[in-house]
Amino acid sequence: RLWDWASGAQLMELKGHRGWVNSVAFSPDGKQIVSGSGDKTVRLWDSASGAQLMELKGHGSWVASVAFSGDGKQIVSGSGDKTVRVWDVESGDQVLKLKGHSDSVRSVAFSPDGKQIVSGSYDKTVRLWDSASGAQLMELKGHSDWVKAVAFSPDGKQIVSGSDDKTVRVWDAASGAQLMELEGHSDPVGSVAFSPDGTKIVSGSADQTVRVWDAASGKVLQELEGHDEDVLSVAFSPDGKQIVSGSDDK
């Protein structure tokens, strides 16, 4: 569904998927929306009219995560079929099929410059890929349970990941070295994000809390309480002054 944030009015209901919608994202120019679903498809929508522009088929299982590249020309998707796929927005063609994970891919993202893709999987690894060739560049090991969330820092130099092992980890995107292990959550971490200036990290957990961390020191800056169920999604506002969280508490 598409909403007007100022009035709270529902603008459109985009219908077409035949299963749970697990992930949505706007294109950088705001003109298109991409969605990934349990019906194994990725769909592209016109954000002005609500019309479905394309149905991208290829995944053999549920689509868990979708994202646009910075230039809006490509879409990346991660699936329960253990693959990461890259699609051309103009043609709808599958450009790349990235294989390497041994379990479901739960989270995917393009680097800010669009040259790399990061993926997090139930195989407990974070992997870095070349978005042009599809080659696996690195396998980042350290988590002891499912990796449910990954994100690049705004400058593309670091990667943050959240896992069912209750930790948030920060990695060097160039070397693959683990820079920090952020401990504090008492249950699985399902969502992570950097602030727009890259100085903070936010995480949401099944422990019903949202935590804000200093990206340089790893110290907890804030523990935000209020949700009554698992926190499933978190994000910073573009100016970095606010955080939004979504939870099973409805």
Side-chain angles (χ1 to χ4, degrees):
R1 302 188 187 213
L2 195 63
W3 309 82
D4 182 277
W5 68 266
S7 67
Q10 180 179 304
L11 302 177
M12 280 178 283
E13 182 177 352
L14 312 181
K15 292 184 176 181
H17 281 299
R18 298 177 299 278
W20 289 356
V21 178
N22 298 312
S23 182
V24 292
F26 270 102
S27 61
D29 64 7
K31 294 180 179 180
Q32 296 175 328
I33 296 166
V34 64
S35 56
S37 167
D39 65 11
K40 307 177 187 178
T41 71
V42 175
R43 300 190 189 218
L44 196 63
W45 312 81
D46 183 279
S47 63
S49 68
Q52 182 178 300
L53 302 175
M54 278 185 277
E55 180 179 354
L56 311 181
K57 294 181 177 180
H59 280 297
S61 187
W62 59 293
V63 179
S65 181
V66 291
F68 274 95
S69 58
D71 60 9
K73 294 181 179 180
Q74 292 186 323
I75 291 165
V76 63
S77 56
S79 167
D81 66 9
K82 308 176 188 177
T83 70
V84 176
R85 302 186 190 221
V86 180
W87 313 82
D88 182 83
V89 170
E90 188 174 352
S91 67
D93 292 338
Q94 181 180 296
V95 179
L96 292 170
K97 180 179 178 181
L98 313 181
K99 299 173 73 174
H101 283 295
S102 59
D103 207 337
S104 299
V105 178
R106 186 63 180 82
S107 182
V108 292
F110 273 100
S111 60
D113 63 8
K115 294 180 179 179
Q116 296 177 328
I117 292 166
V118 65
S119 57
S121 167
Y122 286 176
D123 67 10
K124 307 176 187 178
T125 71
V126 175
R127 300 190 189 218
L128 199 61
W129 313 81
D130 184 283
S131 64
S133 68
Q136 182 179 300
L137 303 174
M138 279 182 282
E139 180 179 353
L140 312 182
K141 293 182 177 181
H143 283 296
S144 59
D145 209 332
W146 291 354
V147 179
K148 286 186 173 177
V150 292
F152 274 98
S153 60
D155 62 7
K157 292 182 179 180
Q158 294 181 339
I159 293 164
V160 63
S161 57
S163 167
D164 269 17
D165 67 10
K166 308 175 188 177
T167 71
V168 175
R169 302 189 188 219
V170 182
W171 313 81
D172 184 275
S175 68
Q178 182 180 301
L179 303 176
M180 283 187 287
E181 179 179 348
L182 312 182
E183 296 181 299
H185 284 296
S186 57
D187 277 305
V189 178
S191 183
V192 292
F194 273 95
S195 61
D197 63 5
T199 63
K200 299 175 187 69
I201 292 167
V202 63
S203 57
S205 167
D207 67 10
Q208 305 175 13
T209 71
V210 174
R211 296 187 185 226
V212 183
W213 314 78
D214 183 277
S217 68
K219 292 181 179 178
V220 177
L221 301 176
Q222 291 284 352
E223 181 178 351
L224 311 177
E225 298 180 331
H227 284 297
D228 298 321
E229 295 288 345
D230 298 8
V231 179
L232 303 175
S233 184
V234 292
F236 274 97
S237 60
D239 63 7
K241 294 181 179 179
Q242 293 179 323
I243 291 168
V244 63
S245 59
S247 166
D248 264 347
D249 64 11
K250 307 175 185 179

